[in-house]
């Protein structure tokens, strides 16, 4: 039977530590609670490195029943189900128990069971969620904490579910828009590489054996073909090294900042990236403000969902200026990173006292803009890529046929 080393608190508030044997961590926790001990950390002896960790705030976080990180879809579904059960009048622990019984996915069932056990031990729901940063973001934890403080946890969870579902839909739109062109590009490059390194050399070998002057398109084609055939390993190695160096650079703050700045300056792609970031920022802030989170806290958390360092720094600069007494719109306008429509609507929201509604409208507007641009992008990109591939193949065919036509004229 496994042996677990635990730390925790007794009923009288004193600390407790020791070892206990049990069939599983859950059984060990039940045994300890029966004797008046509430464990905060439990490590199976010999597996300490995998069952206990420390989060970024320095607190010990448990790894009891630790399951693989859940997807955003799983978290959104869990959130909506829990909100529905709370609206029906079930207490939180009982609602979690119902979810454990009804859920078929093992990772979700395990996580919900662990959360229920820790809440039974006296912890708040937000405090327990904070121990699972892979599954529950800071936005999620802040909003749940605000819901607990206001007594409207069920309504906050509904807003969270809608927010997560909206973010998922936006992510899928962008991913689907990029996936098809990327697949076409990979297939096209692969086909051209095969033609240039295997097919073309065999055909042009006939022309070389004739020892006659060749048209310049054929000479250029043969030169490129020979280079690719002779140095394909060097080319692939260079591409691999470049990708590796780029990934290393992107892990640094300076590298990420440079890449994000270039992205925003790219035609069309930069426009889409900026609109997606603004949509995420405004939608997140609107949801958090409506849930009772303070403005500065909402900005601090919401800026991290933008996934762009340049825009994050602009929001952080505005946040510092707001702390010193400025409005929201003015520092955002000075940064030069936000369109006039955004800063103007925020200014109107500040004057009218309807900031949440204005932010929600901005998010809705830019969601529509993202749809429009992506639709236009995908509708234009497919024929452009097909045309480009056709032109390249046509050039290869012409360069091969020209010497054949010349030989036919010489025979006549």
């Amino acid at each position: 039977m496994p042996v677990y080393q635990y730390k925790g608190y007794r009923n009288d508030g004193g600390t407790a530590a020791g070892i206990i044997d049990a069939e599983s961590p859950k059984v060990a926790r039940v045994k300890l609670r029966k004797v008046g001990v509430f464990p905060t950390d439990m490590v199976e002896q010999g597996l300490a490195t995998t069952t206990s960790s420390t989060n970024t705030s320095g607190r010990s976080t448990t790894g009891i029943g630790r399951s693989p990180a859940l997807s955003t879809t799983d978290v959104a579904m869990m959130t909506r189900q829990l909100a529905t059960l709370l609206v029906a009048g079930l207490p939180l622990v009982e609602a979690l128990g119902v979810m454990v019984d009804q859920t078929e996915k093992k990772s979700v069932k395990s996580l919900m069971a662990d959360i229920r056990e820790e809440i039974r031990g006296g912890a708040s729901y937000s405090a327990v969620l904070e121990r699972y940063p892979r599954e529950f973001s800071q936005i999620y934890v802040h909003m749940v904490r605000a819901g607990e403080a206001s007594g409207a946890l069920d309504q906050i969870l509904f807003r969270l579910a809608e927010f997560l579902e909206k973010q998922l839909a936006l992510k899928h739109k962008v991913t689907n828009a990029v996936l098809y062109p990327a697949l076409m590009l990979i297939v096209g490059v692969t086909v051209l590489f095969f033609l240039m390194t295997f097919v073309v050399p065999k055909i042009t070998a006939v022309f070389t054996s004739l020892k006659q002057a060749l048209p310049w398109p054929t000479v250029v084609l043969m030169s490129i073909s020979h280079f690719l055939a002779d140095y394909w390993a060097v080319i692939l190695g260079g591409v691999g090294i470049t990708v590796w160096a780029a990934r290393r650079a992107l892990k640094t703050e300076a590298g990420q900042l440079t890449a994000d700045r270039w992205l925003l300056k790219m035609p069309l792609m930069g426009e889409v990236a900026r609109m997606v970031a603004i949509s995420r920022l405004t939608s997140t802030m609107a949801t958090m403000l409506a849930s009772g989170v303070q403005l500065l806290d909402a900005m601090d958390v919401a800026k991290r969902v933008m996934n762009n360092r340049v825009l994050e720094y602009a929001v952080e600069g505005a946040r510092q200026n707001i702390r010193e007494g400025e409005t929201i719109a003015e520092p955002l306008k000075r940064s030069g990173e936000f369109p006039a429509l955004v800063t103007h609507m925020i200014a109107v929201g500040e004057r009218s006292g309807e900031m949440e509604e204005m932010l929600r409208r901005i998010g809705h507007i830019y969601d529509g803009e993202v749809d429009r641009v992506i639709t236009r992008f995908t509708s234009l990109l497919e024929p452009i890529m097909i045309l480009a591939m056709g032109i390249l193949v046509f050039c290869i065919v012409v360069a091969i046929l020209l010497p054949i036509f010349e030989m036919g004229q010489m025979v006549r």
Side-chain angles (χ1 to χ4, degrees):
M1 184 176 294
V3 176
Y4 299 92
Q5 184 175 357
Y6 67 87
K7 294 179 182 179
Y9 296 92
R10 297 191 298 271
N11 285 330
D12 58 6
T15 59
I19 59 174
I20 186 173
D21 58 340
E23 297 174 355
S24 68
K26 294 179 184 178
V27 175
R29 293 173 71 88
V30 171
K31 286 185 175 181
L32 288 170
R33 289 197 184 98
K34 287 181 178 179
V35 296
V37 175
F38 297 90
T40 58
D41 190 19
M42 184 174 296
V43 182
E44 183 177 352
Q45 291 191 344
L47 297 176
T49 57
T50 60
T51 57
S52 181
S53 61
T54 303
N55 65 15
T56 55
S57 63
R59 277 193 309 274
S60 176
T61 60
T62 62
I64 301 167
R66 203 68 174 98
S67 59
L70 305 182
S71 66
T72 306
T73 304
D74 292 330
V75 176
M77 188 178 299
M78 289 165 45
T79 305
R80 186 167 291 280
Q81 289 175 348
L82 183 58
T84 303
L85 292 171
L86 292 178
V87 168
L90 273 68
L92 179 58
V93 173
E94 188 175 342
L96 290 169
V98 172
M99 292 181 63
V100 171
D101 294 335
Q102 293 183 348
T103 302
E104 296 181 358
K105 193 170 183 179
K106 291 183 179 180
S107 55
V108 177
K109 183 184 291 288
S110 175
L111 180 63
M112 289 291 97
D114 291 343
I115 292 174
R116 181 185 61 178
E117 291 300 315
E118 294 189 47
I119 293 176
R120 279 179 175 174
S124 66
Y125 187 40
S126 59
V128 175
L129 296 181
E130 200 169 10
R131 300 171 189 171
Y132 298 87
R134 291 191 302 171
E135 289 81 9
F136 304 101
S137 64
Q138 289 191 350
I139 298 171
Y140 199 104
V141 175
H142 273 72
M143 290 181 64
V144 168
R145 185 175 292 122
E148 290 175 327
S150 63
L153 182 59
D154 51 353
Q155 298 303 318
I156 297 298
L157 289 176
F158 271 124
R159 288 176 184 166
L160 263 173
E162 292 174 358
F163 170 75
L164 292 172
E165 290 162 359
K166 182 180 177 181
Q167 293 297 313
L168 272 173
L170 182 60
K171 181 180 178 180
H172 289 160
K173 289 175 187 176
V174 177
T175 302
N176 292 336
V178 174
L179 188 60
Y180 179 69
L183 183 60
M184 285 189 63
L185 182 63
I186 292 172
V187 172
V189 170
T190 304
V191 170
L192 287 175
F193 188 80
F194 176 77
L195 287 174
M196 295 295 290
T197 55
F198 292 97
V199 178
V200 172
K202 292 181 179 180
I203 298 175
T204 55
V206 178
F207 305 148
T208 305
S209 63
L210 296 176
K211 297 181 179 180
Q212 68 177 38
L214 298 173
W216 69 265
T218 308
V219 174
V220 172
L221 177 67
M222 292 173 63
S223 300
I224 296 174
S225 176
H226 289 156
F227 177 79
L228 293 176
D230 294 338
Y231 298 101
W232 64 269
V234 176
I235 295 172
L236 291 180
V239 171
I241 292 173
T242 302
V243 171
W244 174 81
R247 293 185 65 179
R248 285 288 300 270
L250 289 176
K251 291 181 180 180
T252 65
E253 188 69 19
Q256 185 67 59
L257 182 62
T258 301
D260 288 341
R261 186 175 290 114
W262 285 352
L263 175 62
L264 292 176
K265 292 180 179 179
M266 289 177 63
L268 193 59
M269 290 298 294
E271 181 184 0
V272 173
R274 189 182 300 275
M275 289 191 295
V276 169
I278 292 174
S279 174
R280 287 177 173 176
L281 173 71
T282 53
S283 298
T284 304
M285 284 187 61
T287 303
M288 297 187 74
L289 291 176
S291 303
V293 180
Q294 297 296 318
L295 174 63
L296 293 178
D297 291 336
M299 292 182 70
D300 184 43
V301 175
K303 70 180 182 181
R304 303 174 193 180
V305 305
M306 301 178 77
N307 291 332
N308 189 289
R309 291 288 193 278
V310 176
L311 299 179
E312 285 181 29
Y313 288 156
V315 174
E316 179 58 28
R319 182 170 171 269
Q320 296 302 325
N321 291 331
I322 293 169
R323 192 189 297 274
E324 296 171 2
E326 284 198 58
T327 61
I328 304 174
E330 189 58 33
L332 290 178
K333 182 179 180 180
R334 286 200 306 267
S335 71
E337 299 295 342
F338 293 87
L341 173 65
V342 175
T343 56
H344 179 71
M345 290 186 69
I346 289 177
V348 172
E350 288 181 299
R351 291 195 298 268
S352 63
E354 298 181 353
M355 178 61 71
E356 299 164 17
E357 181 60 28
M358 281 299 175
L359 290 172
R360 189 173 289 107
R361 289 182 184 178
I362 294 172
H364 181 71
I365 290 172
Y366 276 90
D367 281 346
E369 285 295 302
V370 169
D371 281 339
R372 181 184 62 81
V373 173
I374 286 178
T375 301
R376 185 183 66 185
F377 173 73
T378 52
S379 62
L380 291 176
L381 189 60
E382 181 177 352
I384 289 174
M385 293 187 70
I386 293 174
L387 179 62
M389 288 291 297
I391 291 173
L392 288 173
V393 172
F394 175 76
C395 292
I396 293 173
V397 171
V398 169
I400 292 175
L401 291 179
L402 279 176
I404 297 176
F405 291 154
E406 290 185 358
M407 284 188 292
Q409 291 176 357
M410 290 176 61
V411 170
R412 292 178 184 177

